[in-house]
Amino acid sequence: MLSRQIRGIATRQALRQASAKTPEAPAELAQESHLPKHPQQFKKPPRQPKKQTPLRPHELEDPNYKMSGWKQKLGQGIIKVFGIDMDRSRAGPVAGSWYFGECKKQALVYPDEPMSETAKFYYETLGLPKSFSQWFQITALHYWILSVRMRAMPAKYGKNYQQKLVDRIFKDMELRMSEELKINSGRIIENYQKDYHAQLLGSVMSYDEGLATDDITLAQALWRNIFNGDPNIDMRHLEALVGYVRAQLYVLSKMSDREFGFGKFSFVPPNEVVVPLTQAQESELRAKAKEEFAKMTLPSQKSVLSLDE
């Protein structure tokens, strides 16, 4: 029964695209449903964080961080003298910090603190439970979205970006379980890490299958992972999430390797609409990108990643 309902998503999306004058944002599409919500049931309430772990000031997910002038000059000199491959070195600060921060914050929520619009989409509009495991599943989804683009980069760089991002996610999880959830046993944390790693591998494989086939298969993967196979799921919510994922992948597909490799991508909020670009618009954006990178002449900004695809 659920499979037949999911198959209807693709048909409804096609009809909507053919008849609607203005595309709908995923959040608006999800809010069209007036079906009663059925919260997922738990044997005991999910463990909530005791405190918020602050961002480390040396990481790029902190937009206020500034490196001192003498450190910049020293670093530029070392890069120039030793001819360091910056496209490889850049994976750490870009994938391990900036893109990690993008993944982490999408569904981040703390008690008695206001939620972002994206977090509201997941926890209020889609009605997902506020739990650490749910946060991980949403983070894993955003990791996969980024990994799709990383795998399209030259192999030696794309693999490095992927590894830096996934390493950073699991290091952060270890800190959060220890500092926020107050899990004091290293063995318990290690077991959780192994379980989450297995979940990540499984979700990536299922999302890849959806990417390589159709929206029906992608919707089934999202239902199993994000919605925990909930039989009471609202099909309009699942349809909205499929649209959200496809929108992110479309934006990423229009970015060159160099733009993406320099951390120019941010996830599109679910309350915004992604409209396909015309050929003229694509040419204009590419010209602006080339103009921007032409001004970046420091040794640390050196790159062989293409601006043309």
Side-chain angles (χ1 to χ4, degrees):
M1 179 64 179
L2 183 66
S3 181
R4 291 199 298 272
Q5 289 177 309
I6 292 176
R7 288 190 175 89
I9 290 176
T11 302
R12 290 200 300 273
Q13 285 183 330
L15 292 174
R16 191 181 306 279
Q17 291 171 358
S19 61
K21 296 181 179 179
T22 304
E24 291 179 288
E28 294 176 350
L29 179 61
Q31 289 169 351
E32 287 181 0
S33 178
H34 299 290
L35 294 176
K37 293 184 178 180
H38 298 275
Q40 295 183 29
Q41 301 298 317
F42 297 91
K43 294 181 179 179
K44 59 181 180 179
R47 188 195 299 257
Q48 297 299 321
K50 304 297 183 182
K51 67 173 184 176
Q52 180 175 355
T53 305
L55 294 173
R56 272 57 175 176
H58 64 283
E59 295 166 351
L60 287 185
E61 60 261 32
D62 181 357
N64 299 316
Y65 174 70
K66 298 290 183 182
M67 183 181 289
S68 60
W70 72 269
K71 288 183 179 180
Q72 291 186 39
K73 291 181 180 180
L74 177 62
Q76 298 292 351
I78 293 174
I79 292 168
K80 185 175 182 179
V81 170
F82 291 96
I84 297 173
D85 184 350
M86 285 307 301
D87 287 320
R88 189 172 182 82
S89 301
R90 197 174 289 114
V94 173
S97 280
W98 173 253
Y99 285 145
F100 157 72
E102 279 289 294
C103 290
K104 177 179 178 177
K105 70 183 183 182
Q106 298 308 310
L108 200 60
V109 60
Y110 290 99
D112 304 321
E113 289 194 15
M115 289 190 291
S116 67
E117 290 301 317
T118 305
K120 289 180 181 178
F121 170 68
Y122 287 111
Y123 298 122
E124 294 182 355
T125 304
L126 301 185
L128 298 174
K130 298 176 184 177
S131 67
F132 187 85
S133 292
Q134 185 68 65
W135 167 83
F136 171 76
Q137 286 295 342
I138 298 171
T139 300
L141 171 63
H142 289 84
Y143 159 76
W144 171 77
I145 292 171
L146 290 175
S147 76
V148 171
R149 186 62 186 84
M150 291 173 180
R151 283 178 279 173
M153 299 172 72
K156 69 175 181 178
Y157 298 125
K159 289 181 179 178
N160 199 29
Y161 273 66
Q162 281 184 271
Q163 192 62 55
K164 295 294 185 183
L165 176 53
V166 75
D167 286 348
R168 187 67 181 81
I169 288 174
F170 277 91
K171 179 61 178 176
D172 179 74
M173 288 177 60
E174 181 182 353
L175 291 173
R176 290 192 66 204
M177 283 190 279
S178 174
E179 297 178 7
E180 294 183 2
L181 301 183
K182 298 300 181 183
I183 300 176
N184 298 319
S185 171
R187 187 175 64 178
I188 292 177
I189 291 177
E190 182 180 356
N191 289 336
Y192 275 128
Q193 293 277 64
K194 290 179 180 178
D195 183 52
Y196 284 128
H197 186 259
Q199 290 182 41
L200 178 66
L201 294 177
S203 63
V204 166
M205 290 182 64
S206 64
Y207 295 145
D208 277 348
E209 182 184 12
L211 179 65
T213 52
D214 50 37
D215 282 353
I216 297 171
T217 308
L218 179 59
Q220 290 173 328
L222 291 169
W223 172 67
R224 290 193 302 271
N225 293 290
I226 303 299
F227 293 94
N228 197 31
D230 183 3
N232 296 314
I233 185 178
D234 188 325
M235 287 295 113
R236 187 59 58 85
H237 292 174
L238 185 55
E239 181 181 2
L241 189 55
V242 170
Y244 171 82
V245 171
R246 287 295 184 187
Q248 312 302 326
L249 293 172
Y250 175 80
V251 173
L252 283 166
S253 73
K254 298 302 177 182
M255 297 189 75
S256 66
D257 280 348
R258 189 175 300 188
E259 290 171 287
F260 180 73
F262 272 73
K264 298 294 183 179
F265 175 76
S266 296
F267 289 106
V268 181
N271 57 346
E272 294 183 9
V273 177
V274 173
V275 180
L277 297 172
T278 64
Q279 188 171 0
Q281 289 172 328
E282 286 189 40
S283 298
E284 181 182 357
L285 288 175
R286 186 64 59 240
K288 288 182 177 179
K290 290 182 177 180
E291 181 181 353
E292 177 186 356
F293 279 97
K295 300 174 183 178
M296 299 169 64
T297 57
L298 294 174
S300 62
Q301 297 165 338
K302 183 178 179 180
S303 176
V304 298
L305 294 177
S306 175
L307 266 168
D308 293 323
E309 69 271 14

